[in-house]
Amino acid sequence: MKKTLLVFGLVALAASVAFVGCAREEPAETAEVSAAAEPVEFFIANGAEPETIDPHLASGVPEHYILMGLMEGLVTPHPETANATPGVAESWEISDDGTVYTFTLRDDAVWSDGVPITAQQFVDSWIRILDPETAAPYAWFPTMFIKGGAEFNAGEADAGAVAVRALDDKTFQFETVGPLPYVLGALSHYSFAVVPTHAIEEYDDEWTLPENFVGNGPFVLEEWKPQEQLTMVPNDTYWNKDKVQLDRVVFYPVDDNTTMYNMFLNGEVDWATDVPQGQIDAAKLRDDFQVAPWLGTYYYVMNNERPPLDDARVRKALSLAIDREMLVNTVSRAGEQPAWSMVPQMDGYPAIDGLGEDVAEAQALLAEAGFPGGAGFPELTLLYNTNESHKAIGEFIQQQWLDNLGINITLENQEWGTYLASRRAGEFDVARAGWIGDYQDPNTFLDMFVTDGAMNGGRYSNAQYDALIEEAATMPAGPARMAKMADAERIFIEEDQGVMPIYYYVNKDMINLDAWAGWYKNVMGWHPVGDVAAN
Amino acid sequence: MGRSSLERPFLCIDCAPNVALDGSCLPHSNCPLDGNCLLRHRGAFIIAGMTQYVIRRFLGLFPTLWVIITLSFFIIRIAPGGPFSREKELPQQVLENIEAKYHLDEPLIVQYGRYLFDVVRGDLGPSFRYLDRNVNFYIFSSLPVSMFLGVISLSIALIFGVGFGVLSAIRQNSIVDYASMSVAVIGISVPLFVIGPVLMYFLSLRWGLLPTSGWITGRNGWVTLIMPAITLAFPYFAYIARLMRASVIEVLHSDYIRTARAKGLHELVVIFKHVLKGALLPVVSYLGPAFAGIVTGSVVVEQIFRVPGLGKFFVQSAFNRDYTLIMGTVIVYSIILIIMNFVVDIIYSFLDPRISYK
């Protein structure tokens, strides 16, 4: 018996020694490397595995952070404001009517393989993203701006109809559908990127593999091991290479928010691009927790076609009865701002007030609609995608409606794909939704709610609203256009309560700004890695 | 089949009841070899039977796979949503362009035919979510990772599970028994997504012994294997330990063990030579499904510890409605399951002479 014990003890011991042996070895090696290392490396916990690094096929935030390092468009976002600053284009002119943009490309703009970037490549690139055969998810974005783009993308016209042209090797020109005020800012988005058409011709679909990749950003792709890491090193041919301070940037795909947070706490990454909801209270006590307003709104869509939600009084009553202050302070807790309007705070836009919180008014409206004290009100369902935070918010609002209006609702969670399908098909009473603006203009929050808009799952429809949005779309930039937009939003929110805004999103990041310079909070949540430097 | 394995005593089920005490075969009416089933003939008989059996099982793989592919293909398409549903919904025109590119606009039966044709040629298609590489690439780069982690975890589970199982059984109701069975209960009842972060909290954040996550090919090297392997092994260790304990206790009470002891054999010999062999049977039959489960079920561990394995794709592709990647992982996992079951059946026949295949 004793010997049996001994044998098993030895086996277990041997196994654990083998493991501990491994454990001992490695840290020493790492320490050696860092002691000898001069180069400045910047490690990023970057959310989901990048789906692609082809700027014309990308559609997500993790891809965006990577592409800001690898690619540069006509303009490049300023790290502090996210406004457009000269990129491949050193200067530009806008025609007096605001519809023709002419860009002069800088002479020293070359690809990482040394090939000069030409105006013709911009033409070919923009045709590429608009081409229906490319099937770019973000093709809709340039179609909003470029004359002829929507027709080409829909297969109704050929590429010749797209108003983009190369006047000479270094002069690129395009026409917009109207005097849009937000064109320049939008141009730094990856859907307007120039792509190395010469490399794509050579490698076809495989041009984004590390061995073939050609870029024009501050960094070049060094390695991309799926689910493990993507690394980039400075691009020697970048026109503004003196700006680049980092010697290597490492993007880790991290699906699990808690792991991301732990990696940051353990010093394994310098920047964590999100903070788990469960750690918010702890994170808020730290200096390296960065929270900033984000250009986005968390809201509930109401099915405008289903009784009793087809009655604006009911929709208003539901919205008026929610204490959003309490919600952001006790449920979401990261510093979100309560929202009574769809459009977040934005420069030059006269924000509308919305209806605010007024329980007495809500009760009166509900009674007027035929449900005094909630009597006879059907039991509605609140739909959200399976997620603890959405659930907590749903439960809070469920309680508020019960307490303030005497109505009962049921919470229903669906798995992501199912939820999206239900929302798109309008198969819900009330559903959670969120929208992050694509550019700094109220239009990005409003034009999707026109009759039959893609994001308009609640089937909101008001001819007056549609007309105002259409008018504003062709007006020149300025206060008159902004006022028109505000008029539209007032109809949408204050008269019709087409949707129910809950709060404005915040961006939550972990990064020590004493150690790193060139990383700024901004409303777009854009942080070009080429501007980051060690302090 | 190695040569040594063929020399082991092997009997067909029909012949088994007719074995005389000295091991020779008695003539019997239903013997497939017309009553000539003598031990000296058996080598040839088993080779023929075994080869046939292996070929038959191998051929059986294809219809099984075809049924799995067909069922999965259509079931996936019934699920609401599609690979291109996003929070920011795509305008109808863009969606139509994408669907045309991937032939999703064709009738389902045409898509099915196209897919089957590609699969037969070994092409699992493009992923609908990870656009820069195809499904073959993702599977063949991540499957070895999951397999490796699975083998390590299962080895840990096996070594410690069998060890503590035997210890608990021979020292029944001792402190060792109570301690290891308590740990086993924890292992069975506490989910991996709790065990993982708890380990990470102590080993990385509190004591700073290990990096939080990563993989052996990354900058932290082999130490990154420790936490995922332990986490993944834990429930299997627990199950094996309990299985082993019960099984050893049963064997300990059997006649042949009493005989062995009566012969005056050393207790170590009794345990290692006689008890262990009989008691391992249930564990062996558990290993097949366990291995398949540990390889396919590692998604939680892979996410928490950033292991670049296939398990993550298995689950994530379903959420993403990444049709081709789902199909690819389903096919690969089916093959693993079928092969593992097959291997276990073979191993089983060596451990239990009453079972044979023909």
Side-chain angles (χ1 to χ4, degrees):
Chain A
M1 285 289 193
K2 279 270 157 57
K3 282 195 177 160
T4 326
L5 264 174
L6 195 69
V7 170
F8 280 108
L10 282 176
V11 170
L13 197 67
S16 47
V17 165
F19 276 104
V20 172
C22 296
R24 288 275 159 73
E25 231 168 84
E26 285 299 325
E29 205 175 285
T30 330
E32 236 170 68
V33 171
S34 57
E38 281 288 297
V40 184
E41 297 185 305
F42 189 57
F43 295 90
I44 303 169
N46 192 36
E49 165 74 14
E51 294 168 6
T52 174
I53 51 169
D54 183 331
H56 289 169
L57 298 180
S59 59
V61 174
E63 291 80 8
H64 195 180
Y65 286 139
I66 290 169
L67 285 169
M68 275 192 280
L70 296 176
M71 293 300 210
E72 187 177 78
L74 290 167
V75 299
T76 191
H78 190 276
E80 209 167 341
T81 60
N83 289 335
T85 62
V88 175
E90 58 185 1
S91 63
W92 52 84
E93 274 171 34
I94 305 170
S95 66
D96 291 339
D97 66 353
T99 61
V100 182
Y101 285 71
T102 312
F103 291 84
T104 306
L105 311 188
R106 59 182 77 247
D107 287 328
D108 50 354
V110 292
W111 293 103
S112 53
D113 58 1
V115 174
I117 300 171
T118 62
Q120 187 58 41
Q121 275 183 320
F122 269 96
V123 173
D124 296 341
S125 297
W126 289 20
I127 295 291
R128 180 176 182 260
I129 188 171
L130 291 168
D131 193 331
E133 275 185 28
T134 307
Y138 246 86
W140 61 270
F141 195 45
T143 62
M144 290 177 48
F145 300 90
I146 302 166
K147 192 173 160 189
E151 291 78 4
F152 175 50
N153 187 244
E156 293 159 7
D158 59 21
V162 184
V164 289
R165 50 198 163 255
L167 300 184
D168 59 49
D169 259 8
K170 293 289 173 191
T171 314
F172 172 71
Q173 190 178 67
F174 70 92
E175 287 173 49
T176 60
V177 291
L180 307 174
Y182 40 85
V183 177
L184 275 180
L187 289 181
S188 51
H189 190 266
Y190 50 73
S191 50
F192 289 97
V194 59
V195 291
T197 46
H198 60 288
I200 297 175
E201 217 161 90
E202 190 174 347
Y203 300 111
D204 200 24
D205 284 349
E206 296 189 339
W207 79 274
T208 52
L209 299 185
E211 59 269 28
N212 306 337
F213 190 84
V214 174
N216 72 328
F219 297 93
V220 282
L221 186 61
E222 181 187 42
E223 179 189 49
W224 179 14
K225 288 193 266 181
Q227 297 200 84
E228 243 188 291
Q229 62 179 33
L230 183 149
T231 57
M232 44 180 88
V233 290
N235 175 5
D236 290 337
T237 68
Y238 181 52
W239 65 272
N240 197 9
K241 66 180 175 201
D242 295 343
K243 170 184 90 168
V244 181
Q245 301 292 312
L246 302 174
D247 296 303
R248 177 177 277 114
V249 186
V250 181
F251 291 82
Y252 291 123
V254 190
D255 290 302
D256 190 278
N257 274 357
T258 307
T259 300
M260 193 185 272
Y261 187 68
N262 287 343
M263 288 173 83
F264 181 82
L265 293 188
N266 213 30
E268 291 166 38
V269 293
D270 302 302
W271 170 26
T273 55
D274 200 3
V275 180
Q277 187 62 29
Q279 303 289 346
I280 284 291
D281 295 321
K284 275 199 288 195
L285 301 172
R286 300 177 57 98
D287 293 338
D288 39 24
F289 175 63
Q290 314 298 340
V291 60
W294 197 11
L295 198 67
T297 307
Y298 186 101
Y299 62 101
Y300 277 1
V301 203
M302 293 172 283
N303 194 328
N304 283 236
E305 286 177 345
R306 271 194 199 173
L309 293 169
D310 56 348
D311 187 335
R313 289 172 299 192
V314 173
R315 298 196 297 265
K316 281 186 205 170
L318 291 178
S319 178
L320 283 163
I322 303 170
D323 185 346
R324 289 165 174 80
E325 291 282 357
M326 200 206 276
L327 182 124
V328 295
N329 289 333
T330 62
V331 185
S332 63
R333 301 201 307 277
E336 293 87 352
Q337 289 300 310
W340 285 279
S341 67
M342 192 61 206
V343 182
Q345 184 84 36
M346 213 178 279
D347 281 347
Y349 182 70
I352 70 160
D353 294 333
L355 298 177
E357 185 205 351
D358 189 338
V359 176
E361 171 77 9
Q363 287 165 344
L365 279 167
L366 199 63
E368 214 178 285
F371 309 101
F377 197 82
E379 188 162 320
L380 299 179
T381 303
L382 168 61
L383 175 70
Y384 61 96
N385 55 300
T386 311
N387 172 297
E388 282 307 310
S389 316
H390 299 327
K391 185 179 171 200
I393 291 168
E395 283 169 347
F396 177 87
I397 288 175
Q398 179 186 38
Q399 191 62 43
Q400 293 256 301
W401 285 343
L402 182 64
D403 293 347
N404 295 337
L405 301 175
I407 62 172
N408 260 314
I409 60 159
T410 317
L411 298 189
E412 185 191 354
N413 62 317
Q414 288 179 352
E415 167 276 336
W416 181 241
T418 313
Y419 149 83
L420 289 177
S422 304
R423 205 180 70 184
R424 190 177 177 97
E427 285 161 7
F428 60 89
D429 297 321
V430 182
R432 178 212 82 81
W435 183 259
I436 307 299
D438 291 298
Y439 46 94
Q440 298 187 55
D441 188 89
N443 191 54
T444 182
F445 286 90
L446 296 175
D447 72 340
M448 58 187 165
F449 295 108
V450 297
T451 308
D452 296 329
M455 270 298 282
N456 190 0
R459 308 279 188 268
Y460 171 72
S461 179
N462 184 324
Q464 211 184 339
Y465 176 79
D466 294 353
L468 284 169
I469 293 294
E470 208 186 317
E471 274 174 52
T474 53
M475 284 171 74
R481 179 177 161 279
M482 288 296 196
K484 185 79 78 183
M485 292 276 197
D487 286 344
E489 194 189 3
R490 252 186 290 276
I491 293 175
F492 177 46
I493 298 294
E494 292 177 3
E495 282 181 28
D496 293 339
Q497 197 78 59
V499 298
M500 193 189 310
I502 309 282
Y503 63 71
Y504 303 122
Y505 278 105
V506 285
N507 246 316
K508 296 165 279 184
D509 295 280
M510 301 299 299
I511 180 171
N512 180 355
L513 295 183
D514 292 331
W516 299 100
W519 191 102
Y520 303 94
K521 304 177 194 179
N522 61 54
V523 288
M524 297 301 288
W526 289 358
H527 308 288
V529 75
D531 292 279
V532 175
N535 267 341
Chain B
M1 291 287 102
R3 199 178 137 68
S4 61
S5 57
L6 291 173
E7 287 164 0
R8 296 173 59 90
F10 227 114
L11 281 178
C12 66
I13 289 168
D14 291 337
C15 297
N18 302 300
V19 180
L21 282 175
D22 63 356
S24 65
C25 183
L26 302 172
H28 51 283
S29 57
N30 58 347
C31 181
L33 294 181
D34 298 330
N36 289 323
C37 181
L38 299 173
L39 273 177
R40 56 195 157 95
H41 292 140
R42 198 177 296 117
F45 170 67
I46 288 169
I47 286 181
M50 205 58 166
T51 317
Q52 261 181 21
Y53 175 73
V54 171
I55 292 173
R56 200 145 34 86
R57 282 290 290 256
F58 182 71
L59 291 178
L61 187 90
F62 295 100
T64 315
L65 268 182
W66 175 73
V67 170
I68 292 172
I69 291 174
T70 307
L71 282 178
S72 326
F73 186 90
F74 291 101
I75 290 172
I76 291 165
R77 299 307 178 98
I78 293 170
F84 306 104
S85 312
R86 301 288 150 91
E87 169 91 64
K88 282 192 175 181
E89 279 160 17
L90 299 177
Q92 197 57 36
Q93 185 58 52
V94 171
L95 207 55
E96 280 170 20
N97 291 343
I98 296 177
E99 287 179 347
K101 177 176 175 180
Y102 292 104
H103 305 292
L104 290 171
D105 53 345
E106 290 174 355
L108 202 53
I109 196 75
V110 176
Q111 294 182 43
Y112 170 70
R114 184 191 296 277
Y115 184 73
L116 221 48
F117 181 69
D118 286 343
V119 167
V120 169
R121 293 181 308 153
D123 178 6
L124 296 171
S127 162
F128 290 161
R129 180 60 73 138
Y130 303 103
L131 305 171
D132 292 358
R133 289 156 163 137
N134 58 24
V135 173
N136 287 46
F137 172 86
Y138 281 109
I139 287 184
F140 292 111
S141 67
S142 60
L143 181 65
V145 172
S146 289
M147 296 273 260
F148 180 68
L149 179 60
V151 168
I152 299 289
S153 302
L154 205 54
S155 308
I156 296 175
L158 207 55
I159 293 170
F160 289 90
V162 169
F164 281 102
V166 173
L167 262 186
S168 301
I170 56 183
R171 287 294 185 86
Q172 219 179 323
N173 300 329
S174 70
I175 188 92
V176 185
D177 184 19
Y178 289 137
S180 51
M181 286 307 117
S182 310
V183 174
V185 168
I186 294 174
I188 286 177
S189 48
V190 180
L192 294 183
F193 60 80
V194 174
I195 297 175
V198 166
L199 275 184
M200 196 194 285
Y201 176 74
F202 284 105
L203 295 179
S204 300
L205 298 183
R206 275 298 278 278
W207 302 328
L209 297 174
L210 295 172
T212 56
S213 55
W215 186 237
I216 52 177
T217 47
R219 68 167 162 156
N220 290 313
W222 286 90
V223 282
T224 54
L225 186 60
I226 298 175
M227 283 196 289
I230 292 178
T231 310
L232 195 54
F234 208 40
Y236 293 92
F237 150 75
Y239 195 86
I240 291 173
R242 288 168 58 95
L243 206 60
M244 202 60 205
R245 179 179 181 270
S247 156
V248 168
I249 289 174
E250 196 189 321
V251 172
L252 279 173
H253 290 107
S254 62
D255 293 342
Y256 74 94
I257 297 301
R258 196 166 16 153
T259 311
R261 282 183 175 148
K263 281 200 294 184
L265 290 180
H266 193 281
E267 187 63 21
L268 273 182
V269 178
V270 174
I271 299 289
F272 277 102
K273 200 167 169 199
H274 299 284
V275 175
L276 218 50
K277 194 174 163 193
L280 270 175
L281 269 178
V283 173
V284 171
S285 56
Y286 172 66
L287 281 185
F291 183 73
I294 215 165
V295 173
T296 55
S298 51
V299 52
V300 174
V301 170
E302 288 180 9
Q303 277 197 349
I304 293 173
F305 296 109
R306 294 194 300 119
V307 177
L310 187 57
K312 214 149 67 171
F313 284 134
F314 186 43
V315 172
Q316 207 54 50
S317 63
F319 286 127
N320 291 342
R321 306 285 192 272
D322 190 342
Y323 297 141
T324 41
L325 193 53
I326 302 176
M327 291 302 298
T329 46
V330 165
I331 291 171
V332 168
Y333 282 148
S334 306
I335 294 175
I336 294 177
L337 258 173
I338 295 170
I339 290 177
M340 284 320 292
N341 280 335
F342 177 47
V343 169
V344 166
D345 285 349
I346 301 280
I347 294 176
Y348 216 69
S349 71
F350 286 106
L351 286 175
D352 188 342
R354 283 168 305 183
I355 298 168
S356 173
Y357 301 103
K358 43 176 184 167

